Amino acid sequence: MFEAEIEIETDDGTMGTFIVHPDSGGPHPVVLFLMDAPGKRPLLHDMARRIASNGYYVMLPNLYYRTTPEFQLDFASKESFQRMVELMSNLGNRKIGRDAGAMLAHAAGDDAADSSSVGCVGYCMSGPFSIWVAAEYAEQVKAAASFYGVRLHVDASDSPHLRLGEITGELYVGAAEHDDYVPLDMVDRFEAAMQATGVRGRVERYWGTHHGFAFDDRPAYDAAADDRHWAALFDLFERNLR
Protein backbone atom coordinates (compact mmCIF):
# COMPACT_ATOMS: atom_id res chain seq x y z
CA MET A 1 0.00 0.00 0.00
CA PHE A 2 1.10 3.54 -0.74
CA GLU A 3 0.69 6.00 2.12
CA ALA A 4 1.52 9.68 2.41
CA GLU A 5 0.75 12.73 4.51
CA ILE A 6 0.41 15.64 2.11
CA GLU A 7 -0.63 19.27 2.25
CA ILE A 8 -3.40 20.50 -0.02
CA GLU A 9 -3.73 24.23 -0.59
CA THR A 10 -7.27 25.61 -0.28
CA ASP A 11 -8.73 29.11 -0.37
CA ASP A 12 -8.57 29.08 3.44
CA GLY A 13 -5.15 27.60 4.14
CA THR A 14 -3.20 24.37 4.04
CA MET A 15 -5.16 21.17 4.69
CA GLY A 16 -3.14 18.22 5.95
CA THR A 17 -4.43 15.06 4.27
CA PHE A 18 -3.64 11.36 4.66
CA ILE A 19 -3.67 9.50 1.35
CA VAL A 20 -3.59 5.72 1.02
CA HIS A 21 -4.15 3.47 -1.97
CA PRO A 22 -2.91 0.18 -3.47
CA ASP A 23 0.60 0.24 -4.92
CA SER A 24 -0.58 -0.93 -8.32
CA GLY A 25 -3.62 -1.59 -10.44
CA GLY A 26 -4.77 2.01 -10.69
CA PRO A 27 -6.22 4.38 -11.39
CA HIS A 28 -8.44 3.70 -8.39
CA PRO A 29 -11.83 5.23 -7.61
CA VAL A 30 -11.49 8.06 -5.09
CA VAL A 31 -13.04 7.93 -1.62
CA LEU A 32 -13.26 11.10 0.46
CA PHE A 33 -13.24 9.95 4.08
CA LEU A 34 -14.45 12.85 6.21
CA MET A 35 -13.46 12.74 9.87
CA ASP A 36 -15.79 12.84 12.84
CA ALA A 37 -15.56 15.52 15.52
CA PRO A 38 -12.79 13.89 17.66
CA GLY A 39 -10.36 14.52 14.83
CA LYS A 40 -8.01 12.90 12.35
CA ARG A 41 -6.46 10.17 14.48
CA PRO A 42 -4.91 6.69 14.22
CA LEU A 43 -8.30 4.95 14.29
CA LEU A 44 -9.41 6.84 11.20
CA HIS A 45 -6.09 6.17 9.47
CA ASP A 46 -6.68 2.45 10.03
CA MET A 47 -10.20 2.75 8.66
CA ALA A 48 -8.85 4.58 5.61
CA ARG A 49 -6.36 1.74 5.07
CA ARG A 50 -9.20 -0.77 5.26
CA ILE A 51 -11.12 1.06 2.56
CA ALA A 52 -8.00 1.42 0.41
CA SER A 53 -7.22 -2.29 0.69
CA ASN A 54 -10.39 -2.92 -1.31
CA GLY A 55 -9.01 -1.00 -4.26
CA TYR A 56 -9.68 2.67 -3.52
CA TYR A 57 -7.70 5.91 -3.44
CA VAL A 58 -8.64 7.26 -0.01
CA MET A 59 -8.23 10.83 1.16
CA LEU A 60 -8.62 11.65 4.87
CA PRO A 61 -8.25 15.40 5.55
CA ASN A 62 -7.87 17.36 8.77
CA LEU A 63 -11.03 19.43 8.50
CA TYR A 64 -9.93 21.64 11.39
CA TYR A 65 -6.95 22.98 9.41
CA ARG A 66 -8.35 26.53 9.37
CA THR A 67 -7.74 26.70 13.12
CA THR A 68 -5.12 24.08 13.94
CA PRO A 69 -2.82 21.71 12.02
CA GLU A 70 -3.69 18.84 14.38
CA PHE A 71 -6.35 17.86 16.89
CA GLN A 72 -7.20 14.57 18.55
CA LEU A 73 -9.79 14.50 21.30
CA ASP A 74 -8.69 13.34 24.73
CA PHE A 75 -11.90 11.58 25.70
CA ALA A 76 -11.04 11.92 29.42
CA SER A 77 -10.49 15.69 29.32
CA LYS A 78 -13.26 18.29 29.66
CA GLU A 79 -10.90 20.93 28.29
CA SER A 80 -10.20 18.84 25.20
CA PHE A 81 -13.94 18.32 24.69
CA GLN A 82 -14.54 22.07 24.90
CA ARG A 83 -11.78 22.63 22.37
CA MET A 84 -13.49 20.17 20.05
CA VAL A 85 -16.76 22.07 20.35
CA GLU A 86 -14.96 25.30 19.42
CA LEU A 87 -13.33 23.68 16.41
CA MET A 88 -16.61 22.21 15.21
CA SER A 89 -18.27 25.62 15.35
CA ASN A 90 -15.89 26.88 12.65
CA LEU A 91 -17.06 24.34 10.09
CA GLY A 92 -20.11 24.02 7.88
CA ASN A 93 -21.39 22.32 4.76
CA ARG A 94 -20.29 25.09 2.42
CA LYS A 95 -16.73 25.16 3.76
CA ILE A 96 -16.39 21.39 3.47
CA GLY A 97 -17.81 21.60 -0.02
CA ARG A 98 -14.91 23.86 -0.97
CA ASP A 99 -12.45 21.55 0.77
CA ALA A 100 -13.79 18.61 -1.23
CA GLY A 101 -13.19 20.56 -4.41
CA ALA A 102 -9.54 21.04 -3.46
CA MET A 103 -9.19 17.32 -2.73
CA LEU A 104 -10.76 16.35 -6.03
CA ALA A 105 -8.48 18.77 -7.87
CA HIS A 106 -5.48 17.09 -6.25
CA ALA A 107 -6.80 13.63 -7.16
CA ALA A 108 -7.31 14.74 -10.77
CA GLY A 109 -3.57 15.35 -11.01
CA ASP A 110 -2.56 11.96 -9.59
CA ASP A 111 -2.27 9.06 -12.04
CA ALA A 112 -3.19 6.63 -9.23
CA ALA A 113 -6.63 8.24 -8.83
CA ASP A 114 -9.77 8.10 -10.96
CA SER A 115 -11.42 11.36 -9.98
CA SER A 116 -14.36 10.72 -12.30
CA SER A 117 -15.59 7.98 -9.93
CA VAL A 118 -15.86 9.27 -6.37
CA GLY A 119 -17.36 8.01 -3.14
CA CYS A 120 -17.76 9.96 0.08
CA VAL A 121 -18.37 8.85 3.65
CA GLY A 122 -18.93 10.82 6.82
CA TYR A 123 -19.65 10.04 10.45
CA CYS A 124 -21.37 12.13 13.11
CA MET A 125 -20.28 15.72 12.41
CA SER A 126 -19.35 14.85 8.83
CA GLY A 127 -22.46 12.86 7.90
CA PRO A 128 -24.17 15.95 6.51
CA PHE A 129 -20.92 16.99 4.83
CA SER A 130 -20.96 13.76 2.84
CA ILE A 131 -24.49 14.41 1.56
CA TRP A 132 -23.62 18.01 0.71
CA VAL A 133 -20.53 16.95 -1.25
CA ALA A 134 -22.65 14.48 -3.21
CA ALA A 135 -24.83 17.37 -4.33
CA GLU A 136 -21.97 19.83 -4.88
CA TYR A 137 -20.08 17.42 -7.17
CA ALA A 138 -22.95 15.39 -8.54
CA GLU A 139 -21.18 14.45 -11.78
CA GLN A 140 -18.25 12.87 -9.93
CA VAL A 141 -19.73 11.56 -6.69
CA LYS A 142 -21.39 8.26 -7.53
CA ALA A 143 -22.06 7.20 -3.92
CA ALA A 144 -22.18 8.87 -0.51
CA ALA A 145 -22.77 7.48 2.96
CA SER A 146 -23.61 9.01 6.31
CA PHE A 147 -23.40 7.09 9.58
CA TYR A 148 -25.18 8.65 12.55
CA GLY A 149 -24.80 11.94 10.74
CA VAL A 150 -26.09 15.02 12.56
CA ARG A 151 -28.11 17.94 11.13
CA LEU A 152 -29.36 16.03 8.10
CA HIS A 153 -32.73 17.78 8.15
CA VAL A 154 -32.75 21.12 9.95
CA ASP A 155 -34.28 24.57 9.54
CA ALA A 156 -31.30 26.16 7.83
CA SER A 157 -30.44 27.28 4.32
CA ASP A 158 -27.61 24.74 4.13
CA SER A 159 -29.57 21.74 5.39
CA PRO A 160 -28.53 18.71 3.32
CA HIS A 161 -32.11 17.62 2.69
CA LEU A 162 -32.66 20.73 0.56
CA ARG A 163 -30.12 19.49 -2.00
CA LEU A 164 -31.29 15.90 -2.38
CA GLY A 165 -32.82 16.69 -5.75
CA GLU A 166 -29.39 17.62 -7.12
CA ILE A 167 -27.78 14.29 -6.25
CA THR A 168 -27.37 11.74 -9.03
CA GLY A 169 -25.37 9.17 -7.06
CA GLU A 170 -26.66 6.64 -4.55
CA LEU A 171 -27.02 7.48 -0.86
CA TYR A 172 -26.83 5.30 2.21
CA VAL A 173 -27.80 6.65 5.63
CA GLY A 174 -27.20 4.52 8.71
CA ALA A 175 -28.73 5.80 11.94
CA ALA A 176 -28.48 4.66 15.54
CA GLU A 177 -31.70 3.92 17.42
CA HIS A 178 -30.58 5.81 20.50
CA ASP A 179 -28.97 9.11 19.55
CA ASP A 180 -29.28 12.38 21.45
CA TYR A 181 -27.70 14.18 18.49
CA VAL A 182 -29.84 12.59 15.78
CA PRO A 183 -33.37 11.83 17.03
CA LEU A 184 -35.28 9.29 14.98
CA ASP A 185 -37.85 11.89 13.95
CA MET A 186 -35.04 13.70 12.08
CA VAL A 187 -34.10 10.44 10.43
CA ASP A 188 -37.75 9.96 9.46
CA ARG A 189 -37.95 13.45 7.96
CA PHE A 190 -34.78 12.93 5.98
CA GLU A 191 -36.04 9.60 4.66
CA ALA A 192 -39.31 11.25 3.62
CA ALA A 193 -37.35 13.94 1.80
CA MET A 194 -35.35 11.27 -0.02
CA GLN A 195 -38.56 9.60 -1.11
CA ALA A 196 -40.10 12.90 -2.21
CA THR A 197 -37.13 13.80 -4.42
CA GLY A 198 -36.65 10.30 -5.80
CA VAL A 199 -32.93 10.23 -5.04
CA ARG A 200 -31.48 6.73 -5.17
CA GLY A 201 -30.62 5.18 -1.84
CA ARG A 202 -31.96 4.08 1.49
CA VAL A 203 -32.03 4.80 5.20
CA GLU A 204 -31.36 2.02 7.68
CA ARG A 205 -31.88 2.16 11.41
CA TYR A 206 -29.46 0.16 13.51
CA TRP A 207 -31.81 -0.95 16.26
CA GLY A 208 -30.35 -1.25 19.73
CA THR A 209 -27.31 0.89 18.95
CA HIS A 210 -26.13 4.28 20.16
CA HIS A 211 -24.36 7.22 18.53
CA GLY A 212 -20.80 6.24 17.66
CA PHE A 213 -21.39 2.50 17.22
CA ALA A 214 -18.77 2.15 14.46
CA PHE A 215 -15.80 3.57 16.40
CA ASP A 216 -14.02 1.29 18.83
CA ASP A 217 -12.61 4.24 20.78
CA ARG A 218 -16.10 5.16 21.97
CA PRO A 219 -18.18 3.58 24.77
CA ALA A 220 -21.06 3.06 22.33
CA TYR A 221 -19.01 0.74 20.12
CA ASP A 222 -21.01 -2.23 18.86
CA ALA A 223 -18.99 -4.88 17.03
CA ALA A 224 -21.96 -6.39 15.20
CA ALA A 225 -23.20 -2.98 14.06
CA ASP A 226 -19.66 -2.06 13.03
CA ASP A 227 -19.43 -5.15 10.83
CA ARG A 228 -22.83 -4.34 9.34
CA HIS A 229 -21.74 -0.77 8.60
CA TRP A 230 -18.62 -1.97 6.76
CA ALA A 231 -20.66 -4.41 4.70
CA ALA A 232 -23.12 -1.68 3.73
CA LEU A 233 -20.35 0.77 2.85
CA PHE A 234 -18.38 -1.63 0.69
CA ASP A 235 -21.55 -2.81 -1.03
CA LEU A 236 -22.45 0.81 -1.83
CA PHE A 237 -19.02 1.59 -3.22
CA GLU A 238 -18.66 -1.66 -5.16
CA ARG A 239 -22.02 -1.11 -6.86
CA ASN A 240 -21.36 2.46 -7.87
CA LEU A 241 -17.64 3.17 -8.19
CA ARG A 242 -16.39 0.26 -10.28
Side-chain angles (χ1 to χ4, degrees), residues 31-240:
V31 172
L32 306 183
F33 181 8
L34 305 179
M35 72 187 207
D36 64 332
K40 179 176 171 289
R41 57 198 189 281
L43 170 65
L44 300 194
H45 289 189
D46 286 343
M47 293 174 71
R49 292 183 182 102
R50 181 167 179 174
I51 296 171
S53 69
N54 283 264
Y56 299 102
Y57 180 104
V58 184
M59 308 183 75
L60 169 64
N62 166 33
L63 298 178
Y64 293 145
Y65 73 91
R66 292 174 177 86
T67 308
T68 178
E70 183 177 1
F71 174 80
Q72 295 182 38
L73 175 66
D74 177 352
F75 286 87
S77 167
K78 291 182 180 179
E79 291 78 11
S80 183
F81 183 84
Q82 182 57 43
R83 177 60 170 161
M84 180 183 74
V85 173
E86 294 170 358
L87 291 169
M88 289 172 60
S89 69
N90 193 37
L91 297 183
N93 292 321
R94 293 186 177 91
K95 286 182 177 179
I96 305 307
R98 296 198 300 270
D99 293 342
M103 285 189 280
L104 292 176
H106 175 86
D110 191 332
D111 290 340
D114 177 5
S115 61
S116 69
S117 183
V118 178
C120 191
V121 59
Y123 298 80
C124 181
M125 170 186 81
S126 61
F129 301 161
S130 181
I131 305 301
W132 187 271
V133 168
E136 194 79 357
Y137 304 97
E139 290 188 5
Q140 292 167 271
V141 178
K142 312 300 185 185
S146 164
F147 292 95
Y148 37 87
V150 301
R151 297 181 59 80
L152 293 175
H153 194 300
V154 292
D155 185 15
S157 62
D158 67 345
S159 180
H161 82 279
L162 297 175
R163 300 198 67 183
L164 288 172
E166 302 173 53
I167 296 172
T168 58
E170 182 180 349
L171 301 183
Y172 178 88
V173 175
E177 178 181 5
H178 308 290
D179 195 329
D180 292 338
Y181 304 101
V182 192
L184 285 179
D185 71 289
M186 180 186 292
V187 178
D188 294 343
R189 294 197 309 273
F190 188 80
E191 183 176 41
M194 286 181 62
Q195 294 170 348
T197 58
V199 65
R200 291 189 298 122
R202 69 185 191 278
V203 174
E204 289 194 337
R205 296 154 183 82
Y206 287 55
W207 302 112
T209 66
H210 296 259
H211 187 89
F213 61 74
F215 292 123
D216 65 11
D217 59 358
R218 292 191 174 194
Y221 178 67
D222 184 305
D226 184 22
D227 288 345
R228 178 181 168 191
H229 124 271
W230 279 116
L233 185 64
F234 285 132
D235 182 56
L236 176 74
F237 287 166
E238 183 68 26
R239 259 199 325 276
N240 291 283

